[in-house]
Amino acid sequence: MSDDTSVTVAALNVYPVKSCAGVSVAEALLIETGLEFDRAWMVVDAQGEFVTQRELPRMALIQTTLKHTEVVLRAPGMLALHLAIDGVEGPVRVTVWKDEVAAYDMGDLAAQWFSDFLGQPLRLVRFDPDQKRLSNKKWTGDIEAENAFSDGYPILVISEASLAELNQRLKEPVTMSRFRPNLVLSGLDAHGEDHLDEIRFDTPEGPVRLKLVKPCARCPIPNIDPLTGEPGTEPGDTLSTYRASSLLEGAITFGMNAVIVEGIDCGLRVGQTGSAGYKFD
Protein backbone atom coordinates (compact mmCIF):
# COMPACT_ATOMS: atom_id res chain seq x y z
CA MET A 1 0.00 0.00 0.00
CA SER A 2 1.02 3.54 -0.66
CA ASP A 3 -0.03 6.74 1.11
CA ASP A 4 -2.60 6.34 3.85
CA THR A 5 -5.48 8.70 4.46
CA SER A 6 -7.56 9.28 7.58
CA VAL A 7 -11.20 8.15 7.47
CA THR A 8 -14.06 8.40 9.94
CA VAL A 9 -17.05 6.12 10.43
CA ALA A 10 -19.93 8.42 9.49
CA ALA A 11 -22.65 5.77 9.81
CA LEU A 12 -23.16 2.06 10.49
CA ASN A 13 -26.15 0.18 9.14
CA VAL A 14 -27.42 -3.35 9.54
CA TYR A 15 -30.19 -4.96 7.51
CA PRO A 16 -31.50 -7.73 9.76
CA VAL A 17 -34.03 -9.05 7.21
CA LYS A 18 -32.56 -9.22 3.72
CA SER A 19 -34.13 -6.59 1.44
CA CYS A 20 -36.20 -4.95 4.20
CA ALA A 21 -35.36 -1.52 5.61
CA GLY A 22 -32.10 -1.14 7.48
CA VAL A 23 -31.30 -0.02 11.00
CA SER A 24 -28.81 2.75 11.74
CA VAL A 25 -26.75 1.84 14.80
CA ALA A 26 -24.18 3.72 16.89
CA GLU A 27 -21.96 0.67 17.20
CA ALA A 28 -21.83 -2.82 15.76
CA LEU A 29 -19.94 -6.00 16.52
CA LEU A 30 -17.91 -7.61 13.75
CA ILE A 31 -18.63 -11.33 13.46
CA GLU A 32 -17.46 -13.85 10.86
CA THR A 33 -20.23 -12.89 8.40
CA GLY A 34 -19.95 -9.09 8.76
CA LEU A 35 -21.82 -6.85 11.18
CA GLU A 36 -23.81 -8.75 13.81
CA PHE A 37 -27.44 -9.39 12.75
CA ASP A 38 -26.82 -8.17 9.19
CA ARG A 39 -28.89 -10.28 6.78
CA ALA A 40 -29.38 -12.87 9.51
CA TRP A 41 -33.00 -13.35 8.38
CA MET A 42 -34.42 -13.76 4.87
CA VAL A 43 -37.82 -14.08 3.22
CA VAL A 44 -38.33 -17.09 0.95
CA ASP A 45 -41.11 -18.29 -1.32
CA ALA A 46 -42.91 -21.63 -1.20
CA GLN A 47 -39.95 -23.29 -2.94
CA GLY A 48 -37.43 -21.90 -0.45
CA GLU A 49 -36.04 -19.40 -2.97
CA PHE A 50 -35.08 -15.98 -1.62
CA VAL A 51 -37.20 -12.97 -2.54
CA THR A 52 -36.10 -9.32 -2.52
CA GLN A 53 -37.27 -5.85 -3.48
CA ARG A 54 -36.41 -6.77 -7.07
CA GLU A 55 -39.62 -8.81 -7.21
CA LEU A 56 -41.47 -7.31 -4.25
CA PRO A 57 -40.63 -3.60 -3.91
CA ARG A 58 -43.01 -3.24 -0.95
CA MET A 59 -40.38 -5.00 1.14
CA ALA A 60 -38.74 -1.56 1.38
CA LEU A 61 -41.61 -0.50 3.68
CA ILE A 62 -40.90 -3.18 6.30
CA GLN A 63 -39.12 -1.45 9.19
CA THR A 64 -36.96 -3.28 11.70
CA THR A 65 -36.12 -2.46 15.30
CA LEU A 66 -33.42 -4.39 17.16
CA LYS A 67 -33.93 -4.78 20.89
CA HIS A 68 -31.93 -6.73 23.46
CA THR A 69 -34.06 -9.86 23.26
CA GLU A 70 -36.19 -9.41 20.15
CA VAL A 71 -36.41 -8.05 16.65
CA VAL A 72 -39.59 -6.08 15.92
CA LEU A 73 -40.96 -5.74 12.39
CA ARG A 74 -43.50 -3.11 11.39
CA ALA A 75 -45.24 -2.38 8.08
CA PRO A 76 -48.12 -0.11 7.01
CA GLY A 77 -51.49 -1.53 8.02
CA MET A 78 -49.94 -4.41 9.99
CA LEU A 79 -49.66 -5.14 13.68
CA ALA A 80 -46.04 -5.28 14.83
CA LEU A 81 -44.37 -8.69 14.59
CA HIS A 82 -42.18 -9.52 17.59
CA LEU A 83 -39.58 -12.27 17.18
CA ALA A 84 -37.19 -13.53 19.84
CA ILE A 85 -33.66 -12.78 18.65
CA ASP A 86 -32.48 -16.25 19.65
CA GLY A 87 -35.70 -18.06 18.70
CA VAL A 88 -35.98 -20.43 15.73
CA GLU A 89 -38.09 -23.43 14.73
CA GLY A 90 -37.32 -26.36 12.46
CA PRO A 91 -34.29 -26.65 10.15
CA VAL A 92 -34.83 -26.02 6.44
CA ARG A 93 -32.80 -25.72 3.23
CA VAL A 94 -33.13 -22.45 1.31
CA THR A 95 -31.56 -20.88 -1.75
CA VAL A 96 -29.90 -17.46 -2.01
CA TRP A 97 -28.61 -16.82 -5.52
CA LYS A 98 -26.78 -20.03 -6.50
CA ASP A 99 -26.16 -21.19 -2.94
CA GLU A 100 -28.35 -23.73 -1.20
CA VAL A 101 -27.76 -23.28 2.52
CA ALA A 102 -28.93 -24.48 5.91
CA ALA A 103 -31.37 -22.24 7.77
CA TYR A 104 -34.11 -22.32 10.40
CA ASP A 105 -37.77 -21.55 9.80
CA MET A 106 -39.18 -18.76 12.00
CA GLY A 107 -42.65 -20.24 12.37
CA ASP A 108 -46.19 -19.85 11.07
CA LEU A 109 -46.93 -16.46 12.63
CA ALA A 110 -43.97 -14.81 10.88
CA ALA A 111 -44.86 -16.61 7.64
CA GLN A 112 -48.44 -15.35 7.78
CA TRP A 113 -47.31 -11.79 8.55
CA PHE A 114 -45.03 -11.60 5.50
CA SER A 115 -47.54 -13.42 3.29
CA ASP A 116 -50.32 -11.01 4.25
CA PHE A 117 -48.28 -7.87 3.70
CA LEU A 118 -46.57 -8.94 0.48
CA GLY A 119 -49.52 -10.78 -1.07
CA GLN A 120 -48.13 -14.25 -1.72
CA PRO A 121 -47.16 -17.34 0.29
CA LEU A 122 -43.85 -16.61 2.00
CA ARG A 123 -41.83 -17.73 4.99
CA LEU A 124 -39.15 -16.11 7.12
CA VAL A 125 -35.95 -18.03 7.83
CA ARG A 126 -32.81 -17.43 9.87
CA PHE A 127 -29.30 -18.28 8.72
CA ASP A 128 -27.74 -21.32 10.35
CA PRO A 129 -24.50 -20.09 11.99
CA ASP A 130 -22.91 -23.49 11.40
CA GLN A 131 -23.28 -22.98 7.64
CA LYS A 132 -20.21 -21.68 5.80
CA ARG A 133 -21.20 -19.60 2.78
CA LEU A 134 -18.12 -18.05 1.21
CA SER A 135 -17.54 -15.07 -1.06
CA ASN A 136 -16.16 -15.67 -4.54
CA LYS A 137 -12.46 -16.57 -4.23
CA LYS A 138 -11.85 -14.87 -7.59
CA TRP A 139 -12.15 -11.60 -5.66
CA THR A 140 -11.11 -12.54 -2.14
CA GLY A 141 -8.00 -14.57 -3.02
CA ASP A 142 -6.74 -16.51 -0.01
CA ILE A 143 -9.30 -14.95 2.35
CA GLU A 144 -12.24 -17.18 3.22
CA ALA A 145 -14.90 -14.50 3.63
CA GLU A 146 -18.08 -15.82 5.22
CA ASN A 147 -21.54 -14.42 4.54
CA ALA A 148 -24.98 -14.89 6.00
CA PHE A 149 -27.75 -13.94 3.54
CA SER A 150 -25.94 -10.95 1.95
CA ASP A 151 -25.72 -11.02 -1.82
CA GLY A 152 -22.11 -12.13 -1.78
CA TYR A 153 -19.79 -10.20 0.53
CA PRO A 154 -19.87 -9.45 4.24
CA ILE A 155 -19.57 -5.62 4.25
CA LEU A 156 -20.50 -2.86 1.81
CA VAL A 157 -18.52 0.38 2.08
CA ILE A 158 -19.57 3.74 0.59
CA SER A 159 -18.21 7.23 1.17
CA GLU A 160 -20.36 10.26 1.92
CA ALA A 161 -18.58 12.05 -0.92
CA SER A 162 -19.79 9.49 -3.46
CA LEU A 163 -23.41 10.21 -2.58
CA ALA A 164 -22.75 13.97 -2.65
CA GLU A 165 -21.27 13.64 -6.14
CA LEU A 166 -24.34 11.73 -7.33
CA ASN A 167 -26.76 14.20 -5.77
CA GLN A 168 -25.05 17.07 -7.59
CA ARG A 169 -26.05 15.34 -10.82
CA LEU A 170 -29.64 14.50 -9.85
CA LYS A 171 -32.67 16.76 -10.12
CA GLU A 172 -34.04 15.25 -6.91
CA PRO A 173 -31.43 14.20 -4.32
CA VAL A 174 -31.56 10.70 -2.81
CA THR A 175 -30.50 9.40 0.58
CA MET A 176 -27.81 6.84 1.34
CA SER A 177 -30.53 4.34 2.30
CA ARG A 178 -31.06 3.67 -1.42
CA PHE A 179 -27.67 1.95 -1.56
CA ARG A 180 -27.86 -0.10 1.63
CA PRO A 181 -24.23 0.24 2.83
CA ASN A 182 -23.00 -1.22 6.11
CA LEU A 183 -20.12 1.22 6.59
CA VAL A 184 -20.34 4.87 5.49
CA LEU A 185 -17.05 6.78 5.55
CA SER A 186 -16.18 10.44 5.63
CA GLY A 187 -12.73 11.77 4.73
CA LEU A 188 -12.57 10.40 1.18
CA ASP A 189 -13.01 12.08 -2.19
CA ALA A 190 -15.97 10.99 -4.31
CA HIS A 191 -15.58 7.29 -5.09
CA GLY A 192 -12.28 7.23 -3.22
CA GLU A 193 -13.38 3.87 -1.85
CA ASP A 194 -12.86 2.43 -5.36
CA HIS A 195 -9.11 2.84 -4.94
CA LEU A 196 -8.62 1.62 -1.38
CA ASP A 197 -6.86 -1.59 -0.44
CA GLU A 198 -7.50 -1.82 3.31
CA ILE A 199 -9.23 0.19 6.01
CA ARG A 200 -7.79 -0.15 9.51
CA PHE A 201 -9.25 0.77 12.89
CA ASP A 202 -7.75 0.42 16.34
CA THR A 203 -10.59 -0.55 18.67
CA PRO A 204 -10.61 -1.24 22.43
CA GLU A 205 -11.09 -4.91 21.55
CA GLY A 206 -8.20 -5.04 19.08
CA PRO A 207 -7.22 -4.09 15.53
CA VAL A 208 -9.71 -4.25 12.65
CA ARG A 209 -8.65 -4.65 9.02
CA LEU A 210 -11.15 -4.60 6.18
CA LYS A 211 -9.98 -5.34 2.64
CA LEU A 212 -11.93 -3.82 -0.24
CA VAL A 213 -12.09 -6.49 -2.91
CA LYS A 214 -14.83 -5.86 -5.49
CA PRO A 215 -16.89 -2.95 -6.83
CA CYS A 216 -20.59 -3.31 -6.00
CA ALA A 217 -22.58 -3.80 -9.19
CA ARG A 218 -25.97 -2.18 -8.71
CA CYS A 219 -29.28 -3.87 -9.42
CA PRO A 220 -32.57 -1.89 -9.73
CA ILE A 221 -33.12 -1.73 -5.94
CA PRO A 222 -31.63 1.81 -5.59
CA ASN A 223 -34.41 2.97 -7.96
CA ILE A 224 -37.05 1.97 -5.38
CA ASP A 225 -38.13 4.84 -3.13
CA PRO A 226 -37.53 3.56 0.43
CA LEU A 227 -40.35 5.78 1.75
CA THR A 228 -43.04 4.66 -0.69
CA GLY A 229 -41.86 1.31 -2.07
CA GLU A 230 -42.44 2.66 -5.59
CA PRO A 231 -39.96 1.77 -8.36
CA GLY A 232 -38.56 4.50 -10.62
CA THR A 233 -35.64 5.04 -12.99
CA GLU A 234 -33.40 7.23 -10.82
CA PRO A 235 -30.70 7.26 -9.61
CA GLY A 236 -29.90 4.37 -11.94
CA ASP A 237 -30.26 6.42 -15.14
CA THR A 238 -27.86 9.08 -13.88
CA LEU A 239 -25.37 6.55 -12.50
CA SER A 240 -25.27 4.85 -15.91
CA THR A 241 -23.83 8.05 -17.41
CA TYR A 242 -20.65 7.97 -15.34
CA ARG A 243 -20.32 4.78 -13.27
CA ALA A 244 -19.98 1.98 -15.85
CA SER A 245 -17.18 -0.36 -14.76
CA SER A 246 -14.71 -1.76 -17.26
CA LEU A 247 -13.71 -4.23 -14.54
CA LEU A 248 -17.25 -5.69 -14.49
CA GLU A 249 -18.11 -5.64 -18.20
CA GLY A 250 -19.91 -2.31 -18.08
CA ALA A 251 -21.95 -2.95 -14.92
CA ILE A 252 -22.99 0.18 -13.02
CA THR A 253 -21.12 0.29 -9.71
CA PHE A 254 -21.49 2.31 -6.52
CA GLY A 255 -19.59 1.37 -3.38
CA MET A 256 -17.10 -1.40 -2.64
CA ASN A 257 -17.54 -4.85 -1.17
CA ALA A 258 -15.17 -5.58 1.70
CA VAL A 259 -14.03 -8.67 3.59
CA ILE A 260 -12.68 -9.02 7.12
CA VAL A 261 -8.94 -9.65 7.34
CA GLU A 262 -8.73 -9.11 11.10
CA GLY A 263 -11.08 -8.01 13.86
CA ILE A 264 -13.69 -10.68 14.59
CA ASP A 265 -15.43 -9.82 17.90
CA CYS A 266 -14.26 -6.20 17.72
CA GLY A 267 -16.66 -3.28 17.68
CA LEU A 268 -17.01 -0.51 15.11
CA ARG A 269 -18.45 2.80 16.31
CA VAL A 270 -19.82 5.90 14.62
CA GLY A 271 -17.27 8.71 14.96
CA GLN A 272 -14.34 6.30 15.14
CA THR A 273 -11.34 7.28 13.03
CA GLY A 274 -9.05 4.95 11.15
CA SER A 275 -6.65 4.88 8.24
CA ALA A 276 -7.13 3.71 4.69
CA GLY A 277 -4.37 2.57 2.37
CA TYR A 278 -4.60 3.00 -1.38
CA LYS A 279 -3.88 0.29 -3.92
CA PHE A 280 -0.82 0.63 -6.10
CA ASP A 281 -1.78 1.48 -9.67
Side-chain angles (χ1 to χ4, degrees):
M1 286 182 289
S2 55
D3 295 340
D4 282 7
T5 189
S6 176
V7 294
T8 301
V9 178
L12 291 166
N13 304 299
V14 295
Y15 305 86
V17 181
K18 183 177 179 68
S19 225
C20 295
V23 181
S24 180
V25 295
E27 58 184 280
L29 184 70
L30 269 180
I31 62 173
E32 286 80 3
T33 55
L35 300 185
E36 187 178 29
F37 302 122
D38 190 56
R39 278 84 170 193
W41 292 269
M42 182 172 74
V43 183
V44 299
D45 65 15
Q47 287 72 47
E49 294 271 350
F50 80 117
V51 296
T52 71
Q53 290 181 38
R54 298 169 185 87
E55 308 84 35
L56 299 171
R58 272 167 56 85
M59 291 181 77
L61 302 179
I62 299 174
Q63 301 288 330
T64 311
T65 304
L66 284 171
K67 298 189 174 181
H68 290 300
T69 60
E70 63 181 7
V71 56
V72 183
L73 300 169
R74 294 181 173 87
M78 302 290 291
L79 294 174
L81 175 66
H82 294 253
L83 299 171
I85 273 190
D86 58 356
V88 294
E89 295 202 6
V92 290
R93 301 288 296 179
V94 297
T95 303
V96 52
W97 295 110
K98 295 179 180 179
D99 298 327
E100 182 184 304
V101 298
Y104 291 97
D105 190 85
M106 292 301 297
D108 291 342
L109 181 64
Q112 193 63 54
W113 193 90
F114 278 92
S115 300
D116 288 347
F117 183 66
L118 295 170
Q120 68 182 65
L122 298 165
R123 299 198 73 85
L124 183 68
V125 299
R126 180 157 187 178
F127 191 78
D128 183 343
D130 289 333
Q131 172 77 51
K132 282 198 185 300
R133 178 175 173 248
L134 300 181
S135 298
N136 189 337
K137 287 290 195 71
K138 172 186 173 183
W139 297 96
T140 66
D142 293 335
I143 299 169
E144 289 205 339
E146 295 186 40
N147 303 276
F149 289 133
S150 62
D151 276 350
Y153 296 86
I155 295 175
L156 178 61
V157 179
I158 298 179
S159 69
E160 288 184 322
S162 299
L163 181 67
E165 167 72 16
L166 169 62
N167 279 333
Q168 286 181 350
R169 298 167 181 259
L170 291 171
K171 292 180 181 177
E172 298 288 337
V174 296
T175 61
M176 190 66 89
S177 60
R178 297 263 187 159
F179 297 99
R180 305 174 67 79
N182 299 113
L183 175 59
V184 180
L185 296 176
S186 62
L188 295 172
D189 294 334
H191 305 293
E193 61 270 30
D194 293 356
H195 309 292
L196 297 181
D197 181 23
E198 282 191 4
I199 308 166
R200 298 179 296 277
F201 298 99
D202 290 321
T203 77
E205 301 84 11
V208 170
R209 292 166 58 210
L210 305 177
K211 186 174 180 65
L212 286 76
V213 295
K214 181 180 182 289
C216 181
R218 306 312 310 210
C219 67
I221 286 179
N223 293 340
I224 297 169
D225 187 331
L227 299 180
T228 66
E230 292 295 325
T233 61
E234 289 289 10
D237 284 354
T238 295
L239 284 171
S240 69
T241 65
Y242 74 107
R243 289 297 299 168
S245 170
S246 57
L247 197 61
L248 297 178
E249 299 178 344
I252 306 308
T253 68
F254 195 88
M256 287 290 291
N257 291 299
V259 299
I260 303 163
V261 178
E262 184 179 13
I264 303 301
D265 293 330
C266 294
L268 292 178
R269 297 162 180 85
V270 172
Q272 183 172 29
T273 58
S275 62
Y278 287 95
K279 297 174 183 174
F280 288 115
D281 292 329

